[in-house]
Amino acid sequence: MRARSLLVDQVHGQLRQAGAVAVVGPTGFGKTAVLDAVCTQWRSGGDPVVRLSSTPADAHLPYVPLVDLFTVCPADVSGELSDIQRATVDWVLRRVTGPEPDPALLRVTVLSCLQAWGRRARLLLAADDMHWWGPDSLDVFGFAARRSRGSVSLLAALRPDGPLAHDVLGGDAVEIAVPTLNAQESAAVARTFAIPQRTAARIHTATGGNPRLVWDIAAALARSGPPAVLDAQPLAPHARKALRTWLAGLAAPVHWVLLLAALTADPSLDVVRRAAGPSADAALADAEAAGLVKVAATVAFAAPVIQEGILAQASGEAVRQAHLTLATAAHGADDRLWHEACALAPAELPAHLIPALADAATAARERGEHTRAAEFALLAGGRTGGPRHDLLVTAARDAEAAGRFDLACTALDQLDRSRAVPAARAQARLAVVDAAGRGAALVADVAAQALAEATAADEPALISAAHLRLAHGLRISRGCHTDALAHARAAEEWAERAGDATTHAAALALTAEIEQCQGTPGRTALLRRALGTDTADSAARMPGHPGRTAVHFALLEDGLEQAERLLDELSPAPCPADRLWLLAETVHLHARRGEGAAAREKAHLLLDLTRDLGASPGPPWYAAAAAELAGGTLEQALLYADLGLTASQEDADSVFAAHCLHVSGTTRLLLRDTGAALADLLRVHDLVQDLGIADPAQIRYDADLAEALVAAGDLPAARHTLAGARRRAQGLGRRGVLASLDRAQALCHAAAGEFGPAEELLNRAARTFERLGYPLERGRVLLARSSLEQRRRRPARANEAQAAAETVFRKAGAPLWEPARPQGDQAQPWLAGLTDAEQLVAELVTQGRGNRDIAAALYVSVKTVEAALTRIYRKLEVRSRVQLMALVQKDGHLARR
């Protein structure tokens, strides 16, 4: 990974400069891997490296790390030692027996060895696992290391709770902390093992970005078979090896206090102390020193998977005793009730506790703690011998509100095993589908089964709700096809029959959205009917909610102020799933307005919330890519778009896959990677056709595709693309789309030498984007104007337009959407007079490419390449490839002279 590579380069550079570096980080942060990489770099220069290390089993043995030094010490270095020093070396290597040498003699012997070796070569002494070194080894090493600076370079891996850098390396040693992996880096590790993005996000959250844990869990998951996208299996068993290392050697009181903290919903320091008794503080100190917890007002685990692992390895009896202990130490009545109930097996749960648990679930729900509510309801509803199906259904709904797909599945599983009535099972299945988020298409069979059960129960409201979920899933995976519309209309009919105003409004809104996507004008009337229905706020996360559809329609119509007002009306979001949607739409609103900093800030919050919930990562990655285009870097936008594409494909979310490909293609176009841009945008075109999307404002890719075709020299295809998109945009009154088409059409005219029409179109596009409040699009028009003026041989006007565009982007905090060419990158003399597209073709010809290869590289037809070559030959006054190559060689020779 790039971040790790940069860290290795930093450490290596500081070693060369300062001579002593300590790499500091908790257990599992990859310190040894950093040392390995630095040592490899050092050896690549022909310089020697000596690695010193120890293990827990060696901690009681004196001077074990010195064995590594003396074993590899060259004979000519040993020859410089005195007889008594060589005898000391023999004692350390156990070649002779006898009393332990004087510590002072050991210190001087090691120092003499290092100084003698340092005179012969640029030696690197790398000390690893120093927290396992005995005090005698640390003393000798510290003495020699501090005094050998200048003779040898020193590298050490240290834990925060271990020896201090200035004690072992000297006061001026450089300390470099090993950072945790960020979400992108964790995703990159997971992708090397073919782990789905959702699972990668779970791994990152569970490990806190601990590099060792991320790697171990991903590798273990891969060995057991790649998990399903919506897999919710526990991760702790896959981190068993790392956790066993962490927990090894800890005393029983430490294990006990960790178990108490792991079982407490809110592990305050006071509660843990009361439960653990007098030994609590000492045990917590040991756990903190081992890097397992951080102790302040609460006892926080360094990573959630550590908490899971502690629970997984504890025996059933230990867990029961811990719950009983916590029941007496807990402050709140609900906490005492929870621990009392958890201390009992389901068969032992007395009937009188059920109402109390149900009340606790209700109280947690009213506080907005939906996960806790689901846990209480599951505990109460799963009583062996007399399960409460109503509580299990409630648990599924609370789990869905919390975004906890795993808990929703648990509730459904208990209902299936207890043979609940079809209506109860159908309700739980619908909650599972909603909890899947944008992965609803992956659980289409669950929605279909819910429809069958609702039909068997003869429940019109449930039948309507099931049709609505099926329509939503098909909308995600197949777009605006007739099946999605048929289910949406069926949801309308059944909801009306049931008198269910909430589902009826959602079905109307979803129908309007699908028909609008198909290019059917005037669907706002359906939306107005939906908005006029008095629906409960709790339905905000239902597929097709009218408020969300209204925001979507406002953005299609370029009504940014209206969209902002509607978003304000939907705030604050009542549950996590709603907050995800609200944040994503806010990101897109800021991005369109050219408010890059605000867009990126909201995007970071969105990504954090997505990981916390384990929600579909595709739409958030897409929003983050749009935010980077508006206020970050093109490279980061490309990375986010790639992550979003992968996640969307895993979720079978074709709609957002197309969105991510559009961002990717646009970004590559702005980076002047024409071939790759055209490949992405042509994939968008194919997806849009497959999805039945006729409204060009749904995915605004047409102008970018036309621009890429112009850059590739395929003007007929660009004009054809623009004509079709313009016809659809005019029919729907899509002002913003029409303005972007004007910009692309102007580029077509300019490429054909039709400068007057190009200028008129650019003027019209600039006026439209000014009225709509799209500064970045206006800046892009200015860039197109600069390109036009360059073609017209007006360098002063071209520079003026370029400077105006840069001012627009700088004010918005956005990256320049057309990167300046590197200094000194002047056009070759033989390219003078050719268009950009012709230059691309000519350069590929000079590389020995055939016409078919050139066509494949530029994603155009062979006839387009042949036509471009005809123009090139005419402009350069040559008749063949051979003459073209001769011209290149001649101009290249003149340029070199």
Side-chain angles (χ1 to χ4, degrees), residues 344-355 357 376-389 391-392 414 417-418:
L344 302 172
E348 300 172 344
L349 197 65
H352 73 271
L353 284 183
I354 304 301
L357 290 168
F376 269 115
L378 279 172
L379 191 58
R383 180 170 177 261
T384 303
R388 286 278 301 274
H389 296 158
L391 290 176
L392 291 175
Q414 291 193 27
R417 285 191 284 106
S418 62

Side-chain angles (χ1 to χ4, degrees), residues 732-822:
L732 295 168
R734 299 302 191 217
R735 297 171 295 167
V737 173
L738 287 168
S740 66
L741 296 175
D742 283 346
R743 186 201 75 243
Q745 188 81 52
L747 293 172
C748 277
H749 283 305
E754 301 162 352
F755 301 133
E759 186 168 1
E760 291 178 9
L761 287 169
L762 290 176
N763 289 338
R764 185 168 72 183
R767 290 193 299 269
T768 302
F769 285 133
E770 181 73 31
R771 287 195 300 270
L772 295 178
Y774 289 164
L776 298 183
E777 291 295 343
R778 187 166 56 84
R780 202 166 171 188
V781 171
L782 287 168
L783 290 174
R785 184 180 298 280
S786 177
S787 176
L788 172 64
E789 297 297 349
Q790 286 173 356
R791 290 180 182 276
R792 299 176 77 172
R793 304 290 196 274
R794 296 175 173 178
R797 292 189 180 183
N799 291 337
E800 182 181 345
Q802 178 80 14
E806 291 181 8
T807 300
V808 170
F809 292 127
R810 192 178 302 111
K811 182 178 179 181
L816 181 61
W817 281 9
E818 186 179 79
R821 292 187 184 276

Side-chain angles (χ1 to χ4, degrees), residues 625-651:
E628 286 294 322
L629 270 181
T633 67
L634 296 178
E635 292 76 15
Q636 191 67 30
L638 198 59
L639 174 60
Y640 283 149
D642 181 54
L643 290 169
L645 174 62
T646 301
S648 297
Q649 289 173 331
E650 290 170 353
D651 274 346

Side-chain angles (χ1 to χ4, degrees), residues 470 477 640 688:
L470 284 166
S477 61
Y640 283 149
V688 165

Side-chain angles (χ1 to χ4, degrees), residues 222-579:
R223 284 194 298 271
S224 62
V229 173
L230 292 173
D231 180 75
Q233 63 177 298
L235 296 178
H238 300 286
R240 188 177 292 113
K241 181 178 179 181
L243 292 175
R244 188 186 304 121
T245 301
W246 273 7
L247 297 171
L250 295 177
V254 180
H255 283 274
W256 175 244
V257 78
L258 288 173
L259 179 59
L260 292 172
L263 289 171
T264 308
D266 180 20
S268 69
L269 182 58
D270 179 54
V271 168
V272 174
R273 279 173 170 168
R274 291 175 60 190
S279 63
D281 286 339
L284 286 172
D286 288 346
E288 189 168 26
L292 297 167
V293 296
K294 295 180 180 178
V295 180
T298 61
V299 180
F301 285 90
V305 75
I306 299 173
Q307 181 178 4
E308 294 177 25
I310 288 166
L311 294 175
Q313 74 165 12
S315 66
E317 179 58 25
V319 170
R320 191 178 79 85
Q321 289 298 327
H323 275 302
L324 290 173
T325 301
L326 287 166
T328 62
H331 288 300
D334 285 353
D335 287 339
R336 284 195 296 274
L337 174 66
W338 171 260
H339 290 299
E340 288 174 7
C342 287
L344 302 172
E348 300 172 344
L349 197 65
H352 73 271
L353 284 183
I354 304 301
L357 290 168
D359 290 344
T362 301
R365 186 179 311 112
E366 290 173 351
R367 295 192 302 269
E369 299 173 2
H370 292 282
T371 297
R372 194 65 172 158
E375 291 171 340
F376 269 115
L378 279 172
L379 191 58
R383 180 170 177 261
T384 303
R388 286 278 301 274
H389 296 158
D390 58 328
L391 290 176
L392 291 175
V393 170
T394 301
R397 289 173 175 166
D398 280 318
E400 179 269 319
R404 290 292 301 272
F405 180 79
D406 56 332
L407 290 180
C409 289
T410 299
L412 175 59
D413 181 60
Q414 291 193 27
L415 284 165
D416 281 342
R417 285 191 284 106
S418 62
R419 298 182 181 180
V421 295
R425 298 201 302 273
Q427 291 179 69
R429 288 190 209 287
L430 295 178
V432 167
V433 173
D434 289 346
R438 295 295 296 190
L442 300 176
V443 289
D445 58 326
V446 178
Q449 196 170 352
L451 177 59
E453 290 167 340
T455 303
D458 194 21
E459 292 273 4
L462 275 178
I463 294 172
S464 172
H467 276 298
L468 185 66
R469 269 65 176 189
L470 284 166
H472 175 60
L474 288 167
R475 171 86 172 84
I476 289 171
S477 61
R478 296 177 57 192
C480 305
H481 280 280
T482 54
D483 288 346
L485 188 57
H487 279 295
R489 287 173 173 165
E492 286 181 51
E493 296 171 7
W494 282 100
E496 194 168 12
R497 197 179 303 182
D500 184 346
T502 297
T503 305
H504 186 255
L508 282 173
L510 186 56
T511 300
E513 192 173 327
I514 294 172
E515 291 186 348
Q516 185 71 57
C517 182
Q518 290 177 329
T520 306
R523 303 326 298 166
T524 52
L526 272 179
L527 179 58
R528 282 196 297 271
R529 284 177 58 196
L531 290 169
T533 305
D534 184 18
T535 59
D537 291 340
S538 61
R541 61 185 177 274
M542 180 179 288
H545 181 263
R548 294 189 178 189
T549 303
V551 173
H552 178 59
F553 275 33
L555 292 175
L556 288 178
E557 296 164 2
D558 302 300
L560 300 189
E561 291 184 1
Q562 181 187 6
E564 183 180 30
R565 177 178 57 77
L566 292 169
L567 287 172
D568 287 341
E569 291 175 1
L570 293 172
S571 301
C575 73
D578 295 335
R579 289 198 292 275

Side-chain angles (χ1 to χ4, degrees), residues 820-826:
R821 292 187 184 276
Q823 291 184 355
D825 185 15
Q826 302 296 326

